[in-house]
Amino acid sequence: MKTSVTTPDSKKEKLPDSKRAWKKIEVVGIVLLGICLLLLMFSPTSLSGLFNSIMESVQPVVVDVFLTGVVGTAIIVSVIIGRLLERLGFTDALVRIFVPAMKLIGVNPAVIIPSVYNIFGDINAAGKISGPILKRAGATKDEQKLAIATMVQSQQSFSTFMLGMMALTFAGVNVFVVVLLAVFMPLIVSPLLLSKLLYRDVKRVEIGNLPTFTPERDFLPTMFSAAREGVELLLLILIPAVALVFAVIGVLDYIGIWAAIESSLGSVMLFLNIHPETGVLSILVSPTLAMGQLQAMAGEIDPSLVVGSFVLASSGLPLSAVFGQVPVVWAESSDLSEREAMGAAVLGITMRLATAFLIAFFVTPLVV
């Protein structure tokens, strides 16, 4: 007599074609639909109020800052300048300069290129130009993450740098020492620490094993392509990313918790020896705007707060860049996913916060 063998799969009853088991996301959708219907029934203005809150958060940034403001123009110009520098041999010169230091650390020297392009131009242009360079240089994924974490520890606007130096001068601080420690030291210290502690899949590369990065195209086609590339970067990648971040802020503001988040950020800034108002401005809006306000009040506040605010502003902030622009740009131009690029950017900004506290607390008494 034969006995049938039952398996876990055979115990499951097969549903007829007219039915299908509920998925979790379908349950979420039904709950969301129910909430919307209840709001329409008992509070019809709630949904329109939420939409208006999102629009009020997104519109000033997307239109006034990126589309018709100086930031959007600066991004396009930065791509043009970056491509011009690349065409004039700037990238190959950087590689040769940093090869000795990176050989000692045991890291591909191309990891420094995004940071230097960031200092000279814009964080978005730096990613657009440097991502393909890292791939051509044979950088591993860990080295590409290392490049992002290092890049976001340097300022992304020359105006931020100049306004910050004015603030340091007005506060009576030794500008050279602070700039040396805050801007140039991370280019060496960050690859050294991260390659030993976290991103260990790195390799020492000899200059002879690296390709050349200077394009051979004529100048006029290079400039025209760079201008078009800058516009594409702005319209197709950055504005959607920024709109998403500020749409979330609009939702949080409508719910009523965004004010508490801003207040908490100010308290954290003060604890870290960073001027609360300008520190929050750097994190949420613009480091350049923050340094503009800081230099106007630098002579009247504690020099350590000025130093801390300058170091924080000399970074890849605001958060819309860290959570929106950097992941999208690097996912387009490197081997990393958006999540991997975002993780590296968040790590770099966290290191920047620690650097701001350490320099403000321990170095300021020595340079005032």
Side-chain angles (χ1 to χ4, degrees):
M1 181 177 180
K2 293 184 179 180
T3 57
S4 60
V5 179
T6 60
T7 63
D9 291 335
S10 64
K11 291 180 179 179
K12 297 179 180 178
E13 293 184 5
K14 185 178 179 181
L15 294 174
D17 293 338
S18 59
K19 295 183 179 180
R20 187 182 67 185
W22 281 78
K23 297 180 180 179
K24 291 182 179 179
I25 195 64
E26 292 175 325
V27 176
V28 173
I30 286 293
V31 172
L32 184 60
L33 177 61
I35 293 174
C36 291
L37 291 175
L38 289 174
L39 288 174
L40 285 174
M41 186 180 300
F42 297 105
S43 182
T45 59
S46 296
L47 292 178
S48 61
L50 175 61
F51 183 78
N52 287 335
S53 178
I54 294 173
M55 287 291 295
E56 289 172 359
S57 296
V58 173
Q59 189 270 341
V61 180
V62 169
V63 177
D64 301 338
V65 176
F66 280 86
L67 280 179
T68 62
V70 68
V71 174
T73 305
I75 290 170
I76 298 172
V77 172
S78 295
V79 174
I80 295 173
I81 293 175
R83 290 302 186 193
L84 177 61
L85 292 174
E86 184 183 39
R87 179 63 180 81
L88 293 173
F90 187 73
T91 304
D92 285 315
L94 284 176
V95 170
R96 285 193 175 273
I97 290 172
F98 283 102
V99 159
M102 295 300 105
K103 281 175 63 177
L104 292 175
I105 299 174
V107 174
N108 192 317
V111 301
I112 298 299
I113 291 174
S115 300
V116 180
Y117 271 112
N118 186 29
I119 293 173
F120 279 91
D122 172 81
I123 196 168
N124 308 295
K128 187 71 173 178
I129 294 171
S130 303
I133 289 174
L134 284 162
K135 292 171 67 174
R136 288 181 58 198
T140 65
K141 293 186 71 172
D142 271 7
E143 286 174 329
Q144 293 177 40
K145 295 175 187 177
L146 179 56
I148 295 175
T150 304
M151 177 188 70
V152 297
Q153 295 181 63
S154 56
Q155 76 273 355
Q156 55 167 304
S157 168
F158 194 67
S159 58
T160 301
F161 184 60
M162 295 305 298
L163 290 170
M165 287 199 302
M166 290 175 59
L168 293 174
T169 302
F170 295 155
V173 176
N174 188 317
V175 176
F176 176 78
V177 175
V178 175
V179 169
L180 179 66
L181 294 176
V183 177
F184 296 106
M185 281 293 288
L187 297 180
I188 304 299
V189 174
S190 181
L192 176 62
L193 290 178
L194 293 178
S195 64
K196 306 302 180 188
L197 300 176
L198 188 59
Y199 301 135
R200 298 182 180 180
D201 184 15
V202 297
K203 56 178 184 264
R204 175 176 173 172
V205 180
E206 299 292 342
I207 186 66
N209 295 326
L210 289 170
T212 57
F213 303 103
T214 303
E216 296 180 355
R217 298 179 64 187
D218 293 336
F219 276 97
L220 190 58
T222 299
M223 295 299 95
F224 179 77
S225 297
R228 185 177 62 187
E229 187 178 8
V231 174
E232 291 174 350
L233 175 65
L234 175 65
L235 297 179
L236 302 182
I237 297 177
L238 299 184
I239 287 181
V242 170
L244 173 61
V245 172
F246 279 88
V248 173
I249 291 176
V251 173
L252 296 177
D253 188 37
Y254 184 75
I255 295 173
I257 64 176
W258 182 244
I261 294 175
E262 280 190 297
S263 176
S264 300
L265 281 175
S267 300
V268 172
M269 294 297 100
L270 190 59
F271 176 77
L272 295 175
N273 262 33
I274 299 170
H275 186 256
E277 183 180 344
T278 57
V280 172
L281 203 58
S282 291
I283 289 176
L284 299 179
V285 184
S286 166
T288 301
L289 183 58
M291 289 300 95
Q293 290 193 6
L294 184 67
Q295 60 91 22
M297 65 177 80
E300 305 172 359
I301 60 178
D302 187 341
S304 66
L305 297 179
V306 176
V307 172
S309 294
F310 169 76
V311 177
L312 180 65
S314 300
S315 66
L317 290 170
L319 291 180
S320 59
V322 175
F323 290 103
Q325 298 166 41
V326 170
V328 172
V329 171
W330 280 85
E332 290 274 339
S333 58
S334 72
D335 295 323
L336 302 176
S337 66
E338 292 185 3
R339 183 175 181 179
E340 290 171 327
M342 185 188 299
V346 170
L347 174 62
I349 290 299
T350 303
M351 294 177 66
R352 197 58 175 173
L353 281 167
T355 302
F357 169 74
L358 292 174
I359 294 179
F361 190 80
F362 293 104
V363 177
T364 302
L366 305 177
V367 295
V368 175

